[in-house]
Amino acid sequence: MFAHQPPPASITSNIVSADAEAPLPGSALNELARFSLQRQRELLPIFRHRKSLLYLVETKPVTIVVGHTGSGKTTQLPQYLHEAGWTQDGKIIACTQPRRVAATTVATRVAEEVGCTLGQEVGYSIRFEDVTSDKTRIKYMTDGMLLREALVDPLLTRYRVIMLDEAHERTVYTDILLGVLKKIRKRRKDLRLVISSATLDAEEFKAYFEKDKNAAEEEVSGIISLEGKMFPVDVMYLEEPTENYVEKAIETVFEITARERSGDILLFLTGRDEIERTAELIAERATNLPPNREQLLVLPLYAGLPTDRQLAVFEPTPEGVRKVIVSTNIAEASVTIDGIAFVIDCGFVKLRAYNPLTGMESLTVASISKASAAQRAGRAGRTKPGKCFRLYTQAAYDTLAPTSVPEIQRSDLAPVILQLKALGIDNVARFDFMTPPPAEMMVRALELLYSLGTLDDYGKLTQPLGLQMAEFPVEPMMARILLSSNDFGCGEQILTIAAMTSVQNVFVTPEGEKKVAESAKRKFTVEEGDHMTLLNVYHSYTSQPRERAVKWCHQHFLNHKALIKAVSIRAQLRRYMERFNIPIRSASPETAVHDIRRCLVSGYFAHAARMQPDGTYKMIKGGETLWAHPTSVMFNRKADWIVFYEIVETDKKIFIRDITKIEKEWLAELAPHYYEVKGKKTLEYM
Ligand code: CDP
Ligand code: MG
């Protein structure tokens, strides 16, 4: 099925190390598990670079570190800096992560290595979850959180060293931080920056920092390459393209099981649903394996997976068992799983994409880049020689782009522009972007912010509304809804809705119990839509006596952890409202359903649509056809006009979720600057 091809030279250099040192003998590897954590640290490739790393950080304002995934950048570098005294004066080392999961799991690991309780010397901070204390010296955080901190502390004075980790992912917030930190650095000579990247784009980062340094300055940055100990990876391509990569992937798993030596399998697919489905299929087929043969342990991995199931992926594989991890792109670089010897790469990834025409952001499936393909293959060669099965042909590989487009060129920029404005960067078009976003997308974002009342006619942040919206840790439309809730007299209810839409997976649908779960959900369903339904769920939950909560959730197919989180998020959002002096009133029962929905329209008006005779929705602006997502209570229900919050995915259709029924008149009344009523019947987007 697979044609064996030696990897092209360009990939080889990426996955096979030029490191001349002989690989560790197998027996030593087996011993590894028994070594103390300290010994494990010393065995990481980064260890022998410790001195040169510290020297570079000491002598250069910006250090660029390149090393294969698993070489120890994320877990070790902050510890080296801490041990070397960079935190002695009470200052902090920050290490940013593009993903929440990475921030929490890495912090947990490093706390273990340091030998402290999580939240003491080592902590993490992600949105709505701050596990740090006065003692914290090493802080893992999402890139978005660090940018947020700059709002209150523009020079980020609490930090002595800031490490932008996984910079090669080029997330929107990493890109913005690069620009912001470049500015801060010029005003804070004591600050040190570390840019760490798994791929070989170091020169690009260097050029960015050297570009317009002060004339008097010598070189600003230095590059260090860790050349992690990597073993050769054989790359195999399909001889014929496949119509169905999921099927091919499953076949390949069983071929590996039948033919290849032991070693865990990592399968890259695109999204959660696909992963759960495929994992089930593999597990099902694996029950037919002869009992004397090695058994398969199939584990899904994606962001949003409950923590205990995420951690299962990192557990050592039991004797006589082969792990099959079915993962999103998350395993490509940000999390490292030991023991992988085989990688199966479907060649696709789910990416955020932004359509400036409709102003909608969605997740779409796209081909990966060559850099990604190399990175994925490299996951098989971390501890011993490995194999990578690409579910596409060599010809298809040749057509892939060398690297992927930075997120900033394909995302909704409204939240980012809001943050920049709040940081006092008024002329966002002239911001020092490493890769500037297309002008069209900037314009769309500015328009939306203007229509939300965030910006005035001169493009300046309005006071206090715009500034408060920037501070609120929710996206701009929801911030606006919270801030106008007093006008509709329903602050209490809106706080609940904002909290409930910030958590994922409130409803649980266990396999095989779909029918029961659905009828349990129907008990909470409110005809006006998802937001009112979520409000109903929260209200019922908090009315239960505390000691019965777990059982009650279980009986009603609700996710107890998600609800606990919603309670905590609600309390945090409430504190913002109090600080902004916004009265929080409770809607009167007679008018609640009416008032709350009108309040939602005050922020979601740009996401308005009308139902078509065939049951789909047509977006008012742009005219896009939308489908109610099967998890929405509006799925298979009639409505006329609606607003919605989220776009789920667009493989073939555009699905929307978190939908609320509205009256058409509210749009013209509450967003007159956005909608204009033409004649009697049509509502048009200006
Ligand atoms: O950042 P980089 O990819 O260079 O490596 P790292 O994340 O610092 O990982 C170094 C090693 O720490 C890996 O080889 C893992 O074995 C281990 N690790 C772990 O056991 N648990 C984690 N949550 C993270 C890393
Ligand atoms: Mg890392």
Side-chain angles (χ1 to χ4, degrees):
M1 173 168 91
F2 286 94
H4 180 263
Q5 299 280 355
S10 63
I11 322 180
T12 317
S13 65
N14 241 350
I15 36 184
V16 183
S17 161
D19 195 344
E21 218 172 284
L24 279 170
S27 59
L29 276 171
N30 295 338
E31 302 243 6
L32 195 64
R34 276 184 271 139
F35 287 173
S36 67
L37 281 174
Q38 204 51 40
R39 186 81 186 100
Q40 278 186 40
R41 289 188 61 198
E42 288 167 16
L43 283 174
L44 287 171
I46 197 173
F47 184 68
R48 57 196 181 89
H49 298 278
R50 191 175 187 273
K51 271 208 181 117
S52 12
L53 273 165
L54 290 172
Y55 178 77
L56 206 55
V57 174
E58 180 118 19
T59 50
K60 292 267 193 287
V62 183
T63 299
I64 300 161
V65 185
V66 191
H68 302 292
T69 309
S71 47
K73 301 180 294 297
T74 311
T75 55
Q76 303 308 305
L77 201 46
Q79 291 189 71
Y80 295 168
L81 294 164
H82 178 51
E83 290 156 2
W86 284 90
T87 51
Q88 256 169 14
D89 50 1
K91 295 247 163 127
I92 302 170
I93 294 162
C95 179
T96 68
Q97 297 293 317
R99 294 189 177 85
R100 298 159 60 102
V101 201
T104 55
T105 56
V106 164
T108 310
R109 166 75 184 189
V110 174
E112 226 172 87
E113 290 185 5
V114 169
C116 72
T117 315
L118 192 58
Q120 295 293 303
E121 280 92 336
V122 182
Y124 69 85
S125 168
I126 61 179
R127 192 164 68 141
F128 298 126
E129 226 179 297
D130 184 8
V131 184
T132 62
S133 62
D134 294 346
K135 283 219 179 107
T136 303
R137 293 293 164 267
I138 299 178
K139 179 166 164 186
Y140 291 92
M141 61 207 300
T142 47
D143 42 16
M145 281 307 289
L146 185 63
L147 189 63
R148 232 161 225 296
E149 285 195 10
L151 289 181
V152 271
D153 179 10
L155 291 179
L156 295 170
T157 50
R158 307 172 64 195
Y159 302 100
R160 168 55 51 81
V161 186
I162 295 174
M163 171 167 170
L164 287 188
D165 203 2
E166 312 282 355
H168 62 273
E169 286 209 20
R170 303 290 306 276
T171 61
V172 174
Y173 286 110
T174 293
D175 269 24
I176 297 290
L177 276 174
L178 278 166
V180 169
L181 290 172
K182 190 171 161 182
K183 270 176 94 148
I184 294 179
R185 188 197 72 72
K186 292 188 181 163
R187 311 238 331 246
R188 270 193 61 197
K189 293 293 167 214
D190 63 321
L191 178 71
R192 289 293 182 273
L193 300 181
V194 177
I195 314 293
S196 105
S197 172
T199 47
L200 300 168
D201 43 17
E203 291 296 340
E204 210 183 319
F205 288 115
K206 186 171 169 68
Y208 176 70
F209 279 100
E210 302 294 341
K211 198 170 56 189
D212 45 13
K213 58 173 189 261
N214 301 336
E217 266 181 317
E218 289 176 24
E219 231 184 13
V220 177
S221 56
I223 299 180
I224 181 163
S225 168
L226 305 179
E227 300 167 4
K229 219 172 261 132
M230 293 300 285
F231 297 86
V233 174
D234 264 353
V235 176
M236 256 70 92
Y237 293 92
L238 287 186
E239 277 164 3
E240 294 290 329
T242 173
E243 292 264 296
N244 184 340
Y245 65 71
V246 168
E247 212 167 84
K248 209 65 166 181
I250 298 173
E251 246 173 63
T252 310
V253 166
F254 286 94
E255 268 177 39
I256 293 172
T257 334
R259 289 209 203 111
E260 305 280 350
R261 63 186 170 78
S262 65
D264 295 336
I265 302 173
L266 174 60
L267 164 58
F268 285 100
L269 292 179
T270 62
R272 175 194 163 150
D273 291 351
E274 187 181 77
I275 285 170
E276 288 285 5
R277 198 161 26 104
T278 311
E280 259 169 52
L281 287 171
I282 298 173
E284 223 174 270
R285 251 182 84 173
T287 53
N288 298 333
L289 288 173
N292 55 348
R293 278 258 301 284
E294 171 193 67
Q295 296 301 300
L296 294 187
L297 175 64
V298 189
L299 301 166
L301 179 64
Y302 50 83
L305 190 71
T307 322
D308 48 329
R309 288 182 72 197
Q310 259 168 31
L311 292 178
V313 167
F314 300 99
E315 296 281 316
T317 316
E319 197 70 30
V321 173
R322 194 197 289 263
K323 262 199 296 201
V324 180
I325 293 156
V326 189
S327 173
T328 56
N329 212 35
I330 194 168
E332 185 179 297
S334 19
V335 299
T336 297
I337 307 151
D338 288 331
I340 302 291
F342 304 97
V343 163
I344 306 173
D345 170 15
C346 76
F348 292 97
V349 64
K350 213 173 237 187
L351 286 180
R352 263 211 271 173
Y354 180 73
N355 179 347
L357 214 65
T358 57
M360 292 194 306
E361 197 174 57
S362 58
L363 289 170
T364 38
V365 174
S367 289
I368 59 170
S369 65
K370 285 184 177 142
S372 275
Q375 183 70 29
R376 287 181 176 189
R379 312 306 275 147
R382 286 194 51 251
T383 44
K384 51 194 165 194
K387 280 189 182 177
C388 172
F389 299 85
R390 291 183 173 159
L391 303 178
Y392 40 92
T393 61
Q394 167 111 51
Y397 170 83
D398 291 338
T399 65
L400 297 178
T403 53
S404 28
V405 180
E407 204 179 52
I408 200 156
Q409 298 195 314
R410 50 183 168 83
S411 315
D412 174 10
L413 294 177
V416 170
I417 291 185
L418 179 53
Q419 299 279 306
L420 286 177
K421 295 260 179 191
L423 288 172
I425 300 164
D426 267 322
N427 193 342
V428 286
R430 287 194 35 208
F431 181 72
D432 188 5
F433 291 105
M434 191 157 151
T435 320
E440 196 192 3
M441 282 174 46
M442 292 269 239
V443 171
R444 270 291 316 155
L446 289 166
E447 269 174 14
L448 176 70
L449 291 174
Y450 175 77
S451 68
L452 285 169
T454 323
L455 302 177
D456 63 17
D457 289 347
Y458 305 96
K460 285 228 186 302
L461 220 49
T462 53
Q463 292 281 11
L465 186 69
L467 203 60
Q468 291 172 347
M469 280 174 72
E471 275 191 52
F472 245 129
V474 291
E475 50 82 40
M477 292 196 276
M478 185 46 95
R480 175 66 217 238
I481 293 169
L482 282 159
L483 291 169
S484 39
S485 63
N486 188 40
D487 301 343
F488 301 87
C490 55
E492 293 287 357
Q493 287 78 11
I494 291 294
L495 275 172
T496 302
I497 290 172
M500 289 292 275
T501 49
S502 295
V503 296
Q504 285 179 331
N505 312 327
V506 172
F507 298 98
V508 279
T509 327
E511 252 345 285
E513 289 184 87
K514 282 212 170 91
K515 281 253 158 62
V516 208
E518 264 163 34
S519 82
K521 184 175 175 183
R522 264 198 296 278
K523 293 202 186 101
F524 295 104
T525 299
V526 178
E527 198 203 333
E528 280 76 13
D530 296 306
H531 296 100
M532 300 305 295
T533 301
L534 288 171
L535 181 63
N536 198 16
V537 169
Y538 186 91
H539 190 75
S540 311
Y541 168 71
T542 48
S543 321
Q544 298 306 313
R546 206 169 255 194
E547 63 279 6
R548 287 198 43 212
V550 176
K551 198 167 167 215
W552 183 84
C553 284
H554 188 75
Q555 281 166 349
H556 291 84
F557 291 88
L558 294 169
N559 180 347
H560 187 233
K561 282 200 179 128
L563 285 163
I564 291 178
K565 210 161 176 188
V567 172
S568 147
I569 292 175
R570 189 181 188 281
Q572 295 179 49
L573 294 175
R574 190 188 183 92
R575 284 197 286 277
Y576 279 91
M577 296 279 271
E578 285 163 0
R579 189 151 59 77
F580 299 150
N581 281 323
I582 299 189
I584 305 169
R585 291 187 283 156
S586 188
S588 75
E590 302 80 51
T591 58
V593 178
H594 178 262
D595 298 343
I596 295 166
R597 287 184 300 143
R598 281 168 56 83
C599 185
L600 289 172
V601 170
S602 75
Y604 283 155
F605 55 83
H607 277 182
R610 184 178 195 182
M611 191 177 248
Q612 303 299 298
D614 66 354
T616 63
Y617 291 94
K618 192 169 167 192
M619 186 118 168
I620 298 177
K621 160 194 61 164
E624 212 86 3
T625 301
L626 312 170
W627 303 72
H629 193 266
T631 58
S632 167
V633 305
M634 296 311 290
F635 181 67
N636 281 341
R637 253 170 220 265
K638 275 193 90 65
D640 194 6
W641 297 81
I642 55 146
V643 287
F644 62 92
Y645 168 46
E646 217 181 5
I647 314 273
V648 185
E649 61 181 48
T650 66
D651 284 358
K652 286 180 194 78
K653 293 175 183 173
I654 305 177
F655 287 105
I656 51 174
R657 200 161 61 177
D658 291 346
I659 305 172
T660 281
K661 276 193 201 176
I662 59 158
E663 302 291 333
K664 168 190 163 189
E665 290 70 34
W666 299 346
L667 289 170
E669 180 199 334
L670 298 167
H673 45 287
Y674 200 76
Y675 292 109
E676 168 186 46
V677 186
K678 277 207 182 134
K680 277 225 159 67
K681 284 220 180 75
T682 49
L683 187 64
E684 281 190 14
Y685 169 61
M686 293 199 292

